[in-house]
Amino acid sequence: MNRDSEVFKDLESILIDEATLQQRIQELGQQIGQDYKGKLPVVIGILKGSSIFLADLVKAIPIHLTLDFMGISSYGGGTHSTGVVKITKDLEETIEGRHVIIAEDIIDTGLTLNYLLKTLKQRNPASLTICTLLNKQARRILEVEDVGYKGFEIDDHFVVGYGLDYMQKFRNLPCIGVLKPSVYQKF
Ligand code: IMP
């Protein structure tokens, strides 16, 4: 989509543009490819936020891998964490003995991933690491261990785009941006 679209018009600013995202994702993919050579990792996408990132990330990883998805919800739909984490869809394959890479859109309070890591570690994977596109360190409530790969550190903004939503919208933006304050009244 181009910048005249109604989706772009709701942005106050672009935090990370498309080219910058793509370049960093290529680097992450190359790094993962080197680190997991010969290991057949399973890359787990956390729905729905990581879906766009996951699609580009796996295309940048130059080794064999498998894919699986998990649905988790931690937000009631707005901009604040409720601390309530619910599995809405479980994995289809067993991860016992597998090298697991969790692809996540953003780590904010850390509540979601702490819950998820606890659950997945009980299933005895050979190894488990997280690859997050964004990290909002300033808002951490519970530190998250096992973050092997980080795309970008961002300040304490509520961001949308590239999979990240506000009220389920803006996931289709090709960049990461900050919304105009008026949008919060509109939707
Ligand atoms: P945490 O449990 O607070 O770390 O939040 C993790 C989840 O909250 C992410 O996977 C996102 O779905 C959502 N989230 C956190 N920060 C943002 C944001 O700035 N924009 C959109 N969604 C966010």
Side-chain angles (χ1 to χ4, degrees), residues 74-75 81 104-113 136 157-160 164-165:
S74 64
Y75 274 16
S81 178
E104 178 61 308
D105 51 1
I106 187 166
I107 311 178
D108 186 26
T109 63
L111 296 172
T112 309
L113 275 177
K136 233 195 261 180
H157 305 286
F158 184 79
V159 293
V160 296
L164 288 146
D165 74 304

Side-chain angles (χ1 to χ4, degrees), residues 15-173:
L15 208 60
I16 310 171
D17 67 24
E18 212 174 338
T20 309
L21 281 173
Q22 294 305 329
Q23 198 200 325
R24 182 73 186 118
I25 292 167
Q26 288 303 316
E27 291 168 7
L28 291 170
Q30 285 297 328
Q31 188 63 53
I32 291 172
Q34 281 172 28
D35 297 348
Y36 286 84
K37 205 168 184 348
K39 288 186 170 162
L40 188 67
V42 51
V43 182
I44 297 178
I46 308 301
L47 299 170
K48 304 169 194 167
S50 76
S51 56
I52 314 278
F53 170 48
L54 177 92
D56 285 340
L57 179 69
V58 294
K59 285 184 284 180
I61 302 176
I63 58 168
H64 287 298
L65 53 81
T66 64
L67 269 186
D68 210 338
F69 293 93
M70 200 157 186
I72 271 220
S73 69
S74 64
Y75 274 16
T79 61
H80 298 287
S81 178
T82 60
V84 178
V85 178
K86 197 172 81 181
I87 294 187
T88 54
K89 182 206 172 296
D90 207 341
L91 299 173
E92 284 176 10
E93 307 286 334
T94 174
I95 55 165
E96 189 167 352
R98 297 292 305 276
H99 292 282
V100 174
I101 302 168
I102 300 173
E104 178 61 308
D105 51 1
I106 187 166
I107 311 178
D108 186 26
T109 63
L111 296 172
T112 309
L113 275 177
N114 266 289
Y115 173 82
L116 191 64
L117 284 172
K118 212 184 299 168
T119 307
L120 294 182
K121 278 179 180 170
Q122 285 166 0
R123 302 184 189 183
N124 298 318
S127 69
L128 203 163
T129 196
I130 296 159
C131 176
T132 187
L133 178 66
L134 306 176
N135 185 39
K136 233 195 261 180
Q137 192 63 40
R139 298 225 335 139
R140 201 70 94 247
I141 293 173
L142 266 184
E143 200 36 77
V144 183
E145 291 168 22
D146 314 304
V147 184
Y149 308 91
K150 282 181 203 167
F152 301 89
E153 293 288 340
I154 63 166
D155 292 336
D156 184 10
H157 305 286
F158 184 79
V159 293
V160 296
Y162 203 69
L164 288 146
D165 74 304
Y166 170 62
M167 299 297 268
Q168 296 300 326
K169 299 184 184 69
F170 301 101
R171 295 192 195 277
N172 55 331
L173 259 180

